[in-house]
Amino acid sequence: MRVLSGIQPSGRLHLGNYFGAIKQHIELQAKNECFYFIADYHALTTVRKADDLRKFSQEVAIDYLALGIDPQKTVFFRQSDVPEVPELTWILTNLMPLGLLERCHSYKDKIAHGVTPHLGVFAYPVLMAADILIYKPDLVPVGKDQKQHIEVTRDLAIKFNTAYGELFKIPEPHILPQYAVIPGVDGQKMSKSYKNTIDIFCSEAELRKRVMSIKTDSTPVEQPKDHTKCSLFALYELFATPDEKKRMEDIYRKGGTGYGAVKEELFGKIRDYFKPYHERRNSILADPAYVATTLREGAGRARDAAGKTLREVKKAVGII
Ligand code: ADP
Ligand code: TRP
C-alpha cells in the first residue's frame, strides 16, 4: 500500500506528535511504500520569522531521521520542494465549497479565539488535500485532530472524480484509538500552540522539569486515586508494559503513593525510551550533508510521482 503523511515544522516535536503520528509512520515503513514530508508551506500559516521556519524545518528533518525514517525505503522530502502541489491546490480551490471550509475546526478555533484569520488558515485544508491526492496514497496516518482534513480531502477527490473522471484515489485516514489524543502537561491536548508539550529531544533537566509540571488533582497521598481521569497516568501508560500498567492501576486504587513518585517513574521511562534516538540524532548532527542529500533525493522521487498526477489533472481540466 502507498502511505503518505506530513508534519508541520512549527516547533519542536513532542510526545503527542510521536505517539499520534511519527510512531505509526516509522512502523508502516516495514510493509508499505511510504511518502513523508515536512509541511513547511502549512507552517507558513503560523510561523512568521524566516529564521524560525528554517530552523524548525531542519530540526524536524533531523529528528525524524533519528527516530527511524529510512530514506533508502521511504521518500522523505520537504513539501515546498514539490511546486506541483501549489499548482494542484489552485485547481482544487475551484471545486472547494466555501461552506465546507467554514466548518473546519482549525478555522473555527481561530474565530472563536478572536483571531482575525487570513486566507492561508481558511484555505489550509485545500493545500492539504492537494499534497495528499497528488501522491495517490491509500492510507494517511495522522492524529485525531487531522481527521476532518482527511474527510475534506476525500470529499474533494470525489467531487473532482465526478466532474472530470476517476483520477484520484480516495484515501483512508489511519488513526490508532489508543493514541488518538495524547494529553499535555495541563491536561488539554498536547500541542505546540498550547505550550503544554513534553518534547522528544529535550535535555534531561528540561524533561524532568516538564514531567514534574504535569497537572494532577489534589487527592491526598494516602487516599485512592482515579487513574481514568489522570493525564499523568495516560502518559505513563504510553511507556508501560501491560504488567507495569496493571501495577500502576493498583497503586492508584490502593492509595498511599503520591503523584510525585509516579512522575519520577514516568521521567525515567521517557528518558530511557528515547535514549537510543538521542544517540542516533547526535551522529546525524555530526554529518549535516547527510540531511541535505537525503531531502534532495527525496524531493526528486516525490516530484516524479507528483508530476505524473499533475499532468493527468491538467489534461482532465483542459489546461493541457
Ligand atoms: P501541534 O498540534 O503540536 O502543532 P501538529 O499539528 O504539527 O501538532 O501535528 C503533527 C501530527 O501529530 C498530526 O498527525 C497530529 O494529528 C499529531 N498530533 C499532534 N498532537 C497530538 C496529540 N496531542 N495527540 C495525538 N496526535 C497528535
Ligand atoms: N496538517 C497536518 C498537521 O498539522 C500536516 C499535514 C500537511 C499533513 N499535509 C499533510 C498530514 C498531508 C497528512 C497528510 O499535522
Side-chain angles (χ1 to χ4, degrees):
M1 271 201 295
R2 182 171 282 188
V3 175
L4 171 121
S5 195
I7 196 144
Q8 286 195 70
S10 47
R12 301 299 313 269
L13 297 178
H14 54 74
L15 297 186
N17 298 142
Y18 182 74
F19 286 100
I22 303 170
K23 188 166 181 284
Q24 275 88 266
H25 298 172
I26 306 296
E27 287 167 3
L28 283 161
Q29 292 181 116
K31 294 206 181 96
N32 301 283
E33 181 195 25
C34 297
F35 282 66
Y36 297 135
F37 62 89
I38 301 165
D40 48 0
Y41 274 140
H42 274 114
L44 206 51
T45 59
T46 54
V47 182
R48 278 290 167 273
K49 290 198 182 112
D51 283 345
D52 282 352
L53 189 54
R54 263 189 285 274
K55 185 173 105 204
F56 294 151
S57 296
Q58 180 72 3
E59 275 172 2
V60 168
I62 292 169
D63 292 355
Y64 239 82
L65 288 164
L67 289 167
I69 292 287
D70 175 1
Q72 299 300 324
K73 274 200 82 200
T74 289
V75 183
F76 183 53
F77 59 104
R78 237 187 328 240
Q79 181 185 36
S80 59
D81 282 337
V82 185
E84 288 80 1
V85 168
E87 275 197 69
L88 177 60
T89 303
W90 178 250
I91 295 172
L92 294 181
T93 302
N94 295 288
L95 290 165
M96 186 76 214
L98 284 188
L100 199 56
L101 283 181
E102 275 160 2
R103 281 200 294 280
C104 282
H105 301 307
S106 45
Y107 175 68
K108 283 204 311 199
D109 283 355
K110 291 270 179 331
I111 307 267
H113 285 92
V115 178
T116 310
H118 49 68
L119 184 58
V121 171
F122 189 60
Y124 184 111
V126 192
L127 174 60
M128 182 151 162
D131 61 25
I132 295 175
L133 297 175
I134 208 162
Y135 303 106
K136 300 190 177 176
D138 302 282
L139 216 61
V140 184
V142 282
K144 194 172 154 215
D145 58 330
Q146 296 299 317
K147 189 164 177 248
Q148 193 185 33
H149 290 151
I150 314 290
E151 281 158 8
V152 170
T153 302
R154 288 167 58 91
D155 278 2
L156 209 44
I158 292 169
K159 273 203 166 50
F160 185 97
N161 288 352
T162 309
Y164 295 111
E166 293 293 312
L167 197 153
F168 289 126
K169 204 173 246 179
I170 314 298
E172 292 289 336
H174 175 76
I175 300 167
L176 297 183
Q178 71 273 35
Y179 299 136
V181 184
I182 309 298
V185 295
D186 59 356
Q188 296 187 77
K189 179 203 142 182
M190 188 179 288
S191 172
K192 285 161 226 150
S193 26
Y194 301 154
K195 307 212 181 317
N196 64 354
T197 60
I198 299 177
D199 294 347
I200 301 173
F201 288 114
C202 61
S203 68
E204 210 170 303
E206 175 67 11
L207 177 62
R208 174 181 287 278
K209 211 165 105 197
R210 298 301 285 164
V211 171
M212 293 305 153
S213 76
I214 296 171
K215 216 163 108 189
T216 48
D217 64 20
S218 50
T219 314
V221 173
E222 59 292 350
Q223 277 186 24
K225 299 169 187 66
D226 185 354
H227 71 272
T228 62
K229 297 204 176 78
C230 180
S231 35
L232 174 58
F233 184 90
L235 289 167
Y236 177 83
E237 194 180 9
L238 298 170
F239 296 90
T241 62
D243 283 350
E244 287 168 337
K245 183 182 159 196
K246 202 171 160 303
R247 197 192 102 243
M248 191 56 83
E249 281 172 11
D250 290 342
I251 289 176
Y252 268 70
R253 247 181 247 120
K254 269 198 215 113
T257 305
Y259 289 122
V262 182
K263 288 180 181 177
E264 200 54 57
E265 204 173 319
L266 173 62
F267 160 72
K269 285 217 160 298
I270 303 178
R271 181 198 51 204
D272 295 349
Y273 185 95
F274 288 110
K275 193 160 184 275
Y277 301 115
H278 273 275
E279 284 159 14
R280 189 143 46 164
R281 187 169 181 275
N282 287 338
S283 53
I284 295 171
L285 280 173
D287 184 5
Y290 170 72
V291 180
T293 312
T294 300
L295 291 174
R296 198 168 45 246
E297 283 171 7
R301 288 160 73 192
R303 284 198 77 178
D304 287 346
K308 191 162 166 278
T309 309
L310 187 65
R311 275 191 297 280
E312 291 168 2
V313 170
K314 282 182 162 174
K315 217 160 145 188
V317 301
I319 286 189
I320 297 179

